[in-house]
Structures are given as C-alpha cells and as structure tokens.
Amino acid sequence: MKILVCVKRVIDYNVKIRVKSDKTGVEKDNVKMSMNPFDEIAVEEAVKMKENEIAKEIVVVSIGTEACKETIRSGLAMGADRGIHINSDEDLEPLNISKILMKIVENEKPDIVLMGKQAIDDDSNQTGQMLAALSGFSQATFASKVEKVDSFLNVTREIDGGLETLKLSLPCIITTDLRLNEPRYASLPNIMKARQKKIDSIDVSTLGLDLSPRLSVIEVNDPPERKAGIMVKDIDELMEKLTNEAKVI
Amino acid sequence: MDSSVIINKNIVKEFDLTKKLSTYKDILSEFSKISAKIKSNLKSKCIVEDKIDPRLFEQNQFICHGYAWFETYRISLEHTFNWFNDLCISGESSKLEELVLASAFSEYSLQMRDGIMMSQSEIIRPLKNLDLDPSDFNFLNSKETKELINYGLTEEVKFGIVDFLDKGQFPKLGLKDETLEMIQDQFKKFTDDEIIPHAHEWHLKDELIPDETLKQMADLGVFSIAIPEEFGGLGMGKTAMCVVTEELSRGFLAAGSLGTRAEIAGELIRLGGTEDQKKKYLPKIATGEILTTAVFTEPNTGSDLGSLSTRATKSGDDYIINGNKTWITHGARSDLMTVLARTDSNQKGYRGLSMFLVEKPRGNCQNPFPMEGMSGGEIEVLGYRGMKEYEIALDNIKVSKADLLGEKEGQGFKQLMETFESARIQTAARAVGVAQSALELSLQYSKDRSQFGKEIINFSRIASKLAWMAVETTISRQITLFSAREKDNDIRCDIEAGMAKLLAAKVAWSNADSALQIHGGNGYALEYPISRVLCDARILNIFEGAAEIQAQIVIKGLLGK
C-alpha cells in the first residue's frame, strides 16, 4: 500500500507573528518556518502504518518555494521514503492546492492520502475535503484513531456529541486531528539517512492547471490589544455594567 | 515592547552596512597588530634560546594569562565578524544580527584597551600591564571608528536587540548546513518537551537523570555522534556534537554532559585503542548499552596529572590497580571506567602513566559499587547534578593486559591529551547551552514581572543585561563552532578550543549571575530554575581545565607558535 502525505511549510508555532506594516500579510522574512504540526501528525501516522506493515511506501509532497524541500526533508527524517516538491512562488489558495495535489494523486495512485486537518497559518481546513471532491475518494476528517480492518480503514473522529467511527473503503483521504498520535523526534541516524533520500522537483507551470486566484486578501490586522480591567466598587455596579455595558445578561 | 524595529532594506542602508563591515575589519586588523606587539614583548620576557623558560614564564604568569585573554577576545570577535559576514552573503542576516555585531565590537574593543576581567577579581589592563602605548589605540579615535564604537553602546542598539528577543527572535546560530539545522531543530524540540519540564525537579531531588530519558537520548543517537561508522556510530564530527550538546545543556547541564562521557571514552579508544578494544567497546558505547566514566582525578591530583599516584602493578600477564580517585562523574551508573594509573613507579611525571579500560557492574544510588575491591562515597555538590559525583577507592582490582589501552604502557597521558581538544570544544558547547538557558529564563521573567506599572523588560538596566547576554552568548558560540569546524577539517585547533572553553565558561557564569539578578529575590529561591542554572554555571569554569589552566594552555600555545 502506498501513502501520500501532504505537508505545508508554515511559520513555526513558537514565533510571535508580526503583521506587515502595509497590512498586506504577515512578516515572513527571517522568520523560523517548520512543518505544519497537523501535517507532522499525518507523517507520524504514515510511518506507524509502515512500521506495522500496513503500508509499503510513504511519499511526502509539499507545494511552495525551494525552501519547502527542507520541510519535505524533515518528513523523510521521520521515516518517509521519498519526496515530491512542487515548485511555486505564488501564495496558493486551498482549491488550487487541491487541484495540484489531484495531479500528484493521478500520477502516484496512492491508496491513502494523509494530511493535517488544517494549517496553523491560515486555518482554512479545506484542502482535504476539496481533494476528496476532486478525486472521488472516500474521506474522513479530524481523525483521532485509524485502524485497518480487512480491506477497510476504521477512522474515529471527534465530534460534538462524542466519537464517531467511519468505515472507509480505499482509496481514501484522511485529515488528522491533534490527538491521533505524538510525532516522533527524528533521530540522528534517520536525519543522516534522509540526506540520501530522493526529492523530485516539478515546476507548477508544467502541470497545465488554471491556478488563477478566486480569493483576494483585503487587509491583515493585528488582534486588538487587550485593555486593562477596571475595579468596580460593589455587586450592584458590576450587575449594572454586565447588563447595560457588556450586555451579557 | 512598544517600539518596533523595522528591517530597512533601502540602498543607502546597504551602503552603510558595507562601510560598517569594512570599518570592523579595520578594527580587527589594528588589534592584530597590537597582538603581535604584546606577543613580542612577552617573548622577550619569557623566552630564552627559543624555548619558554619555566621560571620566567611563572614570574610573568599574570601578564601572560592576560595576553591569553586578550587573544581570546580578539579571535572570538573575529569569528563573530565572520559569522555575520557569512549570514550577509547567504542573505540570512537581519537587523538583529547587525545590532549584536555592533554591540560586540564596541564592548570588546574597549575592554581590549581598558581592561578585561579574567575573573571577578583580576583585571588585565593592556595599557598598563602589557607594555602598550596609548598611541597604539589611536585607531579607536578616528572619526568613523569612534562613531561606530559609540553607536554600539547606545540605548538604540540595546533596546533594538531586546525588542527582537521580546518577540521570540534570537540571534541566528549560523550553522551553514541544512542537516545541522535539522539536528538543532529536533534537539531543541526534544529538550523543550522532555528535559526542561523535569530538569529542575531532578536537580532539587538530587536524582539521577531517569533511565527512560537516557534511553530516549540513546535512541536519538546522542552517544553515537563521534563514533566512526565502521564501529556502529554515526561519524558525524564535532560540529554536530556541539549543536546537540548546546541544545541538551540548555535544558539541563547533566543532559548535555552525558554525551561528554561517551565522547571522552570513545575518543580514547578510537585514537588509542587496539582493533579488538575498538570492536569490543565502541559499538556498545554508540548505542548507550555501555555507559562510561572517566577515572583520572585523585584527592591530591587535579590539574597536575603528572603527580598521579594510583598504581597498576604488573603481576604475570595481569595488572593490579590500587589507589584513590575522586570527582568520578556518573561513577555508579556506569559500566566501563577509563582509569589513569602509574605503571612505572620509577618514572615520575607523565611518563609512567597508562590508561586502563576497566569493566564494572552497573550500580545505583542504593548500591553504587557492587564490585569487589571497589568502594566509595558520594560527593554532594551545589549543581551539575543528575549523574552524581563520587570518590572511590580501588583495592587490588585485577585487569589483564588486554585491558591496557592500546596494549602499550606509558602512553596514558599522551592518549588523554589527544582527547583534550574534543573535550574542550564539547565543554564550550555545554557552556553556551547554559548561557542560553540563563538568557531565556530571565527574558521570560522580565516579561512576566511588572514593577512600577510596567514589565521590567522595559527598564534600561534590565535591557542592558538581556542584550549583553544575547551578544556574549553569540560570541562564545561562534568561537566554539569555529573550533569544531577546524577539528572536523582535521586542522589543529588546541588554542582555539581552549579559548572557546575559557570564554564560554565565563559567559555562562556571567549570564547566570545577570539572569539571577533580573529575578531579584525570587531568583534566590530554590523554587526558580535560575537558582539551578547559577549553580550549574559555576562548574564550567572549573572542570575540563580550570580557567587558569585553560589560560595557561592558550598562552603556551601562543608563545610556542
């Protein structure tokens, strides 16, 4: 069985985000970047499936600038077998990413596509679902447990009322939630091995896709600064403010 | 913080930067002229017939060591310049690194003229002590240099640096290699998740680092870094070792020091061992199956190893070892001792010394030495906990000739010397990690703590400390990485390695002290991790060559060149 894992290069979760002064986006120059944490969980799940002999090959794909190769490389250091880098300098929206991934799916014919449920930069939570629509694969989002039963995958999802388990036929697309697993640290031997693993580069323009944007960003703003609290003198004043000012009761 | 520093990339600014860099370069070349002058002065004082005269050398120890410090500053500054220059070339530099460089040049240049603190109580004043003339430093008064030096001392530079730190951006490490960056990234994560949350508890309870954590580190490959591939290691070299060591030590000094044990024994066996000894031990050291401990120091023998008195007496094909040893780090939970003992009692000094590989059963806190003929007690210590220190007595320990390193007598000191370069580089990296942890702890505290209506990070005296910690940590990291790269390229770097250890240990202590000061009374409470970092930092100036010995090694190297 072959697993395709889609990973996105995002600003590291430890970095304090700075909005550009012209409000067109956030500052990415000289900022530490790393693999989207949800995608890291997807890589870990794939590696586990390989260790449990469910999967034979893991291919990591990332779309973006040349630097995305580093992100692919860290997936390879966790245990994936090879990488595909789709070179693009554009900021692509989820539908376009899905279209590109669809091309990769057509070429690679994976049995399972794994990716994070969302990326921590734009929080879109769309790519997995859109790719499922384009490919017609069965889909399970927000996976917190994945089990192989015969030729199916049982995927447990965390939903409002509790847990829901879906039985998926293959090929399928699974997007991963936080509690699915804890990604491993890449060990030194595996980091060294990853250097020898192959990453194919494909220029996005050679895919013959219409990737014109359908969304435009009007403005990016910092969250409003927290204001200092005030002291009220008694319960009456508190009630008055809650009722008339905050209008919460 | 309120102010924001915006990276300005217009042409005028870039021109400024080029000009600045060339001025910094001029400063370095002027200092190298001064260095040559001091060196020639000292040579005339200490060298007789092309050799260092021991008596004259000792008479001039203070000024000689002063020159070792001067050179340490000069060479470190040079590599800090190279660090920034390389970042500029690869397009990775930001305003933060430029500010760090400015601050480093101003402070170090002036100290190299007016006085360098060799210790808290000993200042070398180049003008007075090293026979220099005020005119030697005239270049510092030329218009451009003066402007640049003054700029590096401004509040603008200081708060500029702190503004970046406040936003979570630290000076770039400048590793220049994607694999090293990945290693750094993974070990940073490991340290943040698995070491930092527990380190302070291990310290307060004075416990050994748990076996599970040791196992995790072994699985990550910590003990196999320097072991050659043919013996089951990774053969990755010293730069990788530094990166891993700095990260682990940032969490807990003992975590970064576990690797040192494998490093010392691994290097001894790799360089001095027979093929059989290499095959027998190196693969198991690499996997962490064998933990090693260095058994060199004795109650009356510290820096002066030549006076060592533990004996290994020949008895047929065997040797019988007798003697007392002390400061045996990780002495109980270890499986293999590298024991330095005297095989030839007629030979005083270094010549009669030999190195033995002595296996022992692994002990624990309750029963530290479950071996006949071996006994000892724990030495309770201020910091550097997690492995425990012991003094031990070896009473008629019988070993065979096959356990003599290289199966050659009288090579012990030479074999040990060969490992010193590596050990010093690795210890410098440990110190850089401790220095960085002091910076990180006090940075967080200064953001959380409000006094007089604002977070204390906004006060000038707090910001000076934070900014300087970031600057000096960078300087000591760069001389350390430089030595490691030289070593990886098989270039002799004993002098630079000594300088790296000397400077990084001083910086770790100075950072820890400033960081505790930022914590105020809370820093003095055992509850706060900075209290541990202060205790841990203190050992760095003592072990692996005390600061005075390190300066002695550096100056001997310099005058000998």
Side-chain angles (χ1 to χ4, degrees):
Chain A
M1 210 185 287
K2 188 197 263 188
I3 303 180
L4 183 73
V5 190
C6 314
V7 301
K8 183 175 183 183
R9 181 178 171 85
V10 297
I11 294 181
D12 188 83
Y13 68 96
N14 277 314
V15 172
K16 201 163 151 185
I17 303 291
R18 277 178 281 176
V19 172
K20 280 186 186 165
S21 49
D22 62 5
K23 295 186 177 181
T24 55
V26 299
E27 195 61 69
K28 286 185 185 168
D29 284 348
N30 281 300
V31 170
K32 183 174 158 49
M33 308 288 282
S34 44
M35 190 190 289
N36 174 35
F38 290 109
D39 297 338
E40 233 176 2
I41 293 172
V43 176
E44 173 66 33
E45 196 62 20
V47 175
K48 275 188 172 164
M49 284 183 177
K50 193 177 169 190
E51 284 168 348
N52 295 330
E53 294 178 352
I54 296 170
K56 268 220 169 70
E57 192 188 21
I58 304 168
V59 182
V60 176
V61 58
S62 189
I63 303 166
T65 58
E66 194 63 24
C68 286
K69 279 188 180 163
E70 275 172 43
T71 313
I72 295 174
R73 193 75 66 196
S74 49
L76 299 178
M78 287 174 72
D81 299 294
R82 63 185 169 89
I84 300 173
H85 170 230
I86 312 294
N87 204 340
S88 165
D89 291 335
E90 301 293 316
D91 224 352
L92 295 165
E93 58 200 53
L95 179 60
N96 290 335
I97 294 288
S98 307
K99 285 183 188 169
I100 297 169
L101 290 177
M102 187 57 217
K103 281 275 179 197
I104 306 301
V105 166
E106 281 168 4
N107 285 341
E108 293 286 335
K109 302 190 176 50
D111 303 280
I112 303 170
V113 180
L114 280 170
M115 69 180 83
K117 66 171 181 178
Q118 68 198 73
I120 58 165
D121 51 1
D122 58 15
D123 279 343
S124 292
N125 186 355
Q126 295 172 10
T127 304
Q129 293 88 328
M130 286 177 170
L131 180 60
L134 291 176
S135 62
F137 288 9
S138 33
Q139 71 160 324
T141 51
F142 310 152
S144 66
K145 192 176 168 193
V146 179
E147 261 183 321
K148 184 160 188 293
V149 180
D150 302 325
S151 59
F152 297 93
L153 288 183
N154 282 356
V155 180
T156 306
R157 318 172 59 229
E158 290 179 10
I159 56 169
D160 284 347
L163 298 174
E164 177 189 65
T165 304
L166 302 178
K167 185 176 175 185
L168 262 65
S169 59
L170 302 180
C172 69
I173 289 167
I174 299 171
T175 71
T176 55
D177 210 339
L178 194 64
R179 276 170 288 275
L180 178 60
N181 60 45
E182 270 186 47
R184 68 194 62 198
Y185 309 103
S187 70
L188 293 169
N190 286 337
I191 290 173
M192 297 302 278
K193 273 183 216 152
R195 299 205 301 188
Q196 316 298 334
K197 292 179 181 172
K198 207 171 117 197
I199 299 177
D200 288 319
S201 256
I202 301 171
D203 198 89
V204 74
S205 61
T206 62
L207 296 175
L209 292 166
D210 170 20
L211 299 174
S212 47
R214 293 167 184 238
L215 304 171
S216 59
V217 174
I218 299 166
E219 200 175 83
V220 176
N221 283 298
D222 272 314
E225 268 194 44
R226 267 182 73 172
K227 292 191 185 111
I230 53 159
M231 294 294 287
V232 291
K233 64 177 185 298
D234 51 27
I235 301 281
D236 289 341
E237 192 188 342
L238 175 67
M239 293 303 288
E240 193 269 330
K241 286 199 181 293
L242 287 176
T243 316
N244 300 325
E245 223 170 274
K247 297 195 171 82
V248 289
I249 43 179
Chain B
M1 295 190 58
D2 332 313
S3 59
S4 73
V5 177
I6 294 154
I7 302 160
N8 195 341
K9 279 193 173 160
N10 59 47
I11 295 165
V12 180
K13 202 84 181 176
E14 274 177 15
F15 172 71
D16 273 349
L17 185 60
T18 317
K19 216 164 95 184
K20 269 185 202 169
L21 287 179
S22 95
T23 311
Y24 287 138
K25 230 174 176 169
D26 292 345
I27 295 176
L28 287 172
S29 87
E30 291 294 336
F31 272 122
S32 107
K33 285 182 209 157
I34 296 177
S35 164
K37 184 172 172 187
I38 305 173
K39 189 168 163 182
S40 117
N41 288 343
L42 289 179
K43 277 191 163 175
S44 69
K45 283 191 168 124
C46 307
I47 300 224
V48 178
E49 287 172 1
D50 280 346
K51 276 198 180 125
I52 297 176
D53 181 276
R55 194 181 53 86
L56 292 174
F57 187 52
E58 205 172 309
Q59 274 174 8
N60 290 297
Q61 191 175 62
F62 187 86
I63 55 171
C64 282
H65 285 203
Y67 176 54
W69 273 100
F70 181 92
E71 278 297 89
T72 299
Y73 271 42
R74 186 177 75 81
I75 300 292
S76 303
L77 202 51
E78 193 178 302
H79 293 297
T80 308
F81 174 85
N82 293 342
W83 156 78
F84 182 76
N85 204 32
D86 290 347
L87 286 176
C88 286
I89 292 166
S90 62
E92 292 172 88
S93 66
S94 73
K95 186 77 189 169
L96 171 59
E97 286 77 24
E98 194 186 321
L99 295 169
V100 165
L101 186 74
S103 176
F105 261 90
S106 299
E107 198 53 62
Y108 270 28
S109 296
L110 295 179
Q111 286 187 30
M112 285 161 75
R113 182 188 68 188
D114 303 331
I116 295 171
M117 280 175 71
M118 298 196 287
S119 72
Q120 306 282 91
S121 54
E122 297 158 285
I123 298 174
I124 186 77
R125 294 181 174 81
L127 268 176
K128 294 198 167 53
N129 305 126
L130 300 176
D131 296 334
L132 294 172
D133 190 84
S135 65
D136 291 327
F137 292 98
N138 275 349
F139 68 96
L140 288 172
N141 296 323
S142 78
K143 187 175 167 290
E144 270 165 15
T145 308
K146 202 171 180 177
E147 267 178 27
L148 205 51
I149 296 282
N150 287 343
Y151 165 70
L153 300 173
T154 55
E155 294 285 293
E156 181 192 340
V157 167
K158 177 165 102 187
F159 275 106
I161 294 171
V162 172
D163 191 36
F164 278 102
L165 299 178
D166 182 33
K167 287 178 176 136
Q169 192 179 329
F170 290 90
K172 292 233 162 54
L173 308 184
L175 297 176
K176 303 193 243 187
D177 180 279
E178 201 190 298
T179 307
L180 289 175
E181 278 165 12
M182 197 189 286
I183 292 171
Q184 193 266 334
D185 190 55
Q186 290 300 311
F187 276 88
K188 178 176 163 37
K189 268 193 212 160
F190 175 76
T191 300
D192 286 341
D193 300 344
E194 311 291 337
I195 304 285
I196 291 180
H198 312 293
H200 203 52
E201 195 187 334
W202 296 335
H203 167 81
L204 290 179
K205 291 187 177 162
D206 199 3
E207 285 173 347
L208 289 172
I209 294 176
D211 287 340
E212 306 83 75
T213 310
L214 247 153
K215 170 88 172 54
Q216 278 181 303
M217 287 170 61
D219 289 347
L220 286 176
V222 172
F223 305 120
S224 61
I225 297 176
I227 310 261
E229 285 175 87
E230 52 182 311
F231 297 110
L234 294 166
M236 290 175 87
K238 303 303 160 204
T239 319
M241 170 67 90
C242 282
V243 170
V244 171
T245 301
E246 184 189 330
E247 275 310 322
L248 292 172
S249 306
R250 186 177 61 84
F252 191 35
L253 176 57
S257 305
L258 274 169
T260 319
R261 261 101 292 287
E263 167 87 6
I264 296 173
E267 287 285 282
L268 274 173
I269 297 170
R270 180 175 77 86
L271 297 168
T274 61
E275 277 306 299
D276 283 348
Q277 287 168 340
K278 288 183 201 173
K279 276 186 205 146
K280 186 173 178 191
Y281 293 117
L282 292 179
K284 288 183 178 169
I285 292 174
T287 56
E289 191 183 332
I290 285 185
L291 296 176
T292 60
T293 183
V295 184
F296 309 143
T297 308
E298 296 182 359
N300 295 315
T301 305
S303 303
D304 178 18
L305 278 174
S307 66
L308 198 119
S309 67
T310 294
R311 286 203 181 153
T313 320
K314 200 145 194 189
S315 153
D317 272 349
D318 297 328
Y319 291 90
I320 310 291
I321 304 178
N322 279 292
N324 294 319
K325 294 284 186 179
T326 192
W327 295 113
I328 310 307
T329 307
H330 219 187
R333 188 176 53 177
S334 47
D335 317 280
L336 179 69
M337 303 186 274
T338 46
V339 182
L340 191 61
R342 190 171 298 282
T343 38
D344 185 349
S345 52
N346 295 324
Q347 289 269 20
K348 299 286 170 227
Y350 304 127
R351 286 193 190 148
L353 301 179
S354 301
M355 188 72 74
F356 290 90
L357 305 169
V358 185
E359 288 182 45
K360 70 185 248 313
R362 193 179 283 199
N364 53 38
C365 296
Q366 287 72 40
N367 185 11
F369 304 108
M371 176 162 126
E372 208 186 311
M374 187 176 176
S375 57
E378 186 183 343
I379 306 169
E380 293 188 3
V381 280
L382 285 174
Y384 190 37
R385 296 176 179 175
M387 293 189 288
K388 291 193 182 279
E389 300 290 328
Y390 294 91
E391 49 181 351
I392 58 170
L394 302 171
D395 182 18
N396 286 324
I397 303 280
K398 193 165 131 183
V399 294
S400 76
K401 186 163 188 254
D403 301 322
L404 174 64
L405 186 67
E407 294 196 22
K408 267 189 222 144
E409 281 189 18
Q411 300 294 307
F413 186 72
K414 186 178 153 273
Q415 288 163 337
L416 186 57
M417 284 285 283
E418 285 176 339
T419 69
F420 277 172
E421 254 179 23
S422 298
R424 274 179 208 135
I425 296 170
Q426 206 255 356
T427 302
R430 287 191 273 174
V432 177
V434 172
Q436 177 72 21
S437 88
L439 167 59
E440 290 179 12
L441 287 171
S442 54
L443 175 65
Q444 189 59 49
Y445 188 86
S446 68
K447 288 176 359 179
D448 295 341
R449 176 78 168 174
S450 279
Q451 288 289 280
F452 309 103
K454 55 181 174 182
E455 293 89 32
I456 60 170
I457 190 173
N458 295 298
F459 291 104
S460 175
R461 290 292 305 280
I462 304 292
S464 324
K465 292 183 181 70
L466 290 170
W468 187 239
M469 278 189 242
V471 172
E472 261 197 323
T473 307
T474 301
I475 300 173
S476 48
R477 182 183 292 123
Q478 292 315 314
I479 178 81
T480 304
L481 286 173
F482 169 77
S483 316
R485 288 182 190 122
E486 293 285 282
K487 182 82 188 160
D488 284 342
N489 291 325
D490 275 332
I491 299 170
R492 184 174 167 182
C493 60
D494 51 341
I495 297 176
E496 289 83 359
M499 288 174 168
K501 198 273 177 183
L502 186 63
L503 185 66
K506 177 188 162 170
V507 169
W509 175 245
S510 143
N511 277 15
D513 187 42
S514 297
L516 193 139
Q517 188 69 22
I518 289 173
H519 282 70
N522 283 337
Y524 204 61
L526 288 181
E527 181 192 342
Y528 281 80
I530 192 62
S531 66
R532 175 190 89 242
V533 173
L534 185 90
C535 295
D536 284 354
R538 194 62 190 83
I539 189 65
L540 295 160
N541 261 321
I542 303 171
F543 66 15
E544 291 293 337
E548 294 74 9
I549 295 294
Q550 215 61 251
Q552 180 88 349
I553 292 162
V554 170
I555 187 65
K556 274 191 170 171
L558 290 170
L559 292 183
K561 265 213 283 200

